[in-house]
Amino acid sequence: YQIYVYKKSDNYMSNEIIRSGKYEPSHMSNFLDALKYYGKSRNIIKNEDIYMLDIGGNLGAYPSFLGKLGYSVLTFEASPRNAYIIYKNFCRINRYSNIIIINKGLSNIEKTCNYFSQVDGIGNGIVLCNEDKERTMAAGYNFKKTFEIRLTKLSKFIPFLSDKNLALIKLDIEGAEGKVIEDAIELINKYHIPFIFAEFNPRYLKRQGTDPKKFIELFTKNGYKISYRGFLNSPYVNPEEINSFHNLYFI
């Protein structure tokens, strides 16, 4: 499939796709294996009846890949600039009807906040709602205020998701993962979401007001095991030993 990217920027996803024609193939493979397993274990014949939540869509690489294979993806992207590129990828090039794009950020509150883009990194950014933190972060990390964006809560989508086969949630939102999970734990428990992938960056989590240890506990107290390598047939890790940046697979 084809995908639009930023031609010249420090956007990591764009540069990887331009350089290699791929993006995080090991994660893509793990996601696909999980969705296949989910469908087979529940005797679901059509891929379009299996749903994934892509929280932090960036340019839409994951839903472009899985959408091509027929899976349904609900993708959230806070940046209007990125969301427009996702729209182009889904509606102009590939013409997927099984992808839903929501141009909002997710958190545990309903609020209008500011989106800060990296000065040298188009498409890379953070959402901040506190003026003091905004000034500090903008100065310390070379960010500039770019948009006002609306934050919403994943729990508001429970009525839409209640009758869907929700197999997988992917979270990569620069430290706001803790706030989303805090709000969405009811959804996760009620509908027994079997697979969750999250970027775990203690520094970013603290920046957004989340205790990294409590973030891990939100999962372990609700029955999840954790792996560094993948969802299926991968060794579990001791939650007490997770104290630095990792991509985490929750099963």
Side-chain angles (χ1 to χ4, degrees):
Y1 58 90
Q2 293 178 306
I3 183 170
Y4 283 106
V5 297
Y6 292 111
K7 186 176 181 180
K8 293 181 179 180
S9 80
D10 286 336
N11 180 272
Y12 177 75
M13 184 179 289
S14 293
N15 291 341
E16 278 296 297
I17 293 171
I18 291 170
R19 183 185 65 81
S20 66
K22 302 176 183 178
Y23 183 69
E24 297 186 338
S26 64
H27 294 328
M28 296 279 193
S29 178
N30 273 306
F31 286 14
L32 180 57
D33 287 346
L35 294 176
K36 285 181 177 179
Y37 176 88
Y38 182 93
K40 187 175 181 180
S41 66
R42 288 164 174 75
N43 296 314
I44 300 172
I45 297 173
K46 296 181 180 179
N47 287 351
E48 66 190 46
D49 292 331
I50 300 173
Y51 279 73
M52 168 190 170
L53 298 186
D54 178 32
I55 301 173
N58 203 300
L59 306 183
Y62 283 97
S64 291
F65 169 64
L66 296 170
K68 180 72 173 180
L69 298 173
Y71 294 99
S72 295
V73 183
L74 182 61
T75 186
F76 293 86
E77 173 52 44
S79 163
R81 182 183 286 141
N82 286 351
Y84 175 66
I85 294 183
I86 295 174
Y87 165 80
K88 289 174 67 175
N89 283 326
F90 296 164
C91 302
R92 293 191 182 180
I93 299 182
N94 300 301
R95 299 188 181 279
Y96 298 144
S97 61
N98 51 329
I99 309 295
I100 299 171
I101 310 163
I102 299 177
N103 182 203
K104 288 185 178 180
L106 286 182
S107 186
N108 58 353
I109 56 173
E110 297 273 333
K111 191 174 182 180
T112 298
C113 295
N114 292 319
Y115 183 91
F116 284 75
S117 295
Q118 277 185 307
V119 173
D120 299 322
I122 297 174
N124 302 323
I126 57 173
V127 177
L128 295 171
C129 302
N130 179 289
E131 291 185 4
D132 291 333
K133 283 188 177 180
E134 286 175 0
R135 285 193 289 269
T136 301
M137 298 311 301
Y141 289 85
N142 201 26
F143 284 98
K144 63 177 180 180
K145 181 178 174 180
T146 313
F147 311 108
E148 283 192 346
I149 62 105
R150 184 66 183 170
L151 295 180
T152 189
K153 300 191 290 186
L154 186 57
S155 57
K156 294 196 72 173
F157 293 83
I158 288 178
F160 172 77
L161 296 167
S162 61
D163 62 344
K164 306 295 189 296
N165 296 301
L166 182 53
L168 171 63
I169 298 176
K170 174 220 138 194
L171 286 150
D172 186 356
I173 44 177
E174 308 302 321
E177 295 86 359
K179 292 183 176 180
V180 173
I181 293 299
E182 180 184 316
D183 164 70
I185 201 69
E186 177 191 352
L187 168 70
I188 290 167
N189 285 332
K190 186 175 182 179
Y191 297 103
H192 306 292
I193 314 303
F195 304 113
I196 299 175
F197 172 89
E199 181 181 85
F200 177 76
N201 188 321
R203 182 163 63 97
Y204 286 8
L205 287 167
K206 289 176 183 177
R207 182 173 69 190
Q208 293 287 356
T210 296
D211 181 333
K213 192 170 185 178
K214 290 183 178 179
F215 174 74
I216 297 293
E217 288 177 352
L218 275 173
F219 291 97
T220 56
K221 286 182 177 179
N222 287 282
Y224 283 88
K225 296 186 183 299
I226 306 170
S227 173
Y228 291 152
R229 299 183 187 176
F231 291 119
L232 304 176
N233 303 316
S234 297
Y236 299 131
V237 297
N238 182 349
E240 297 295 327
E241 297 176 358
I242 304 172
N243 53 24
S244 59
F245 172 84
H246 286 285
N247 289 309
L248 300 181
Y249 293 84
F250 297 93
I251 307 100

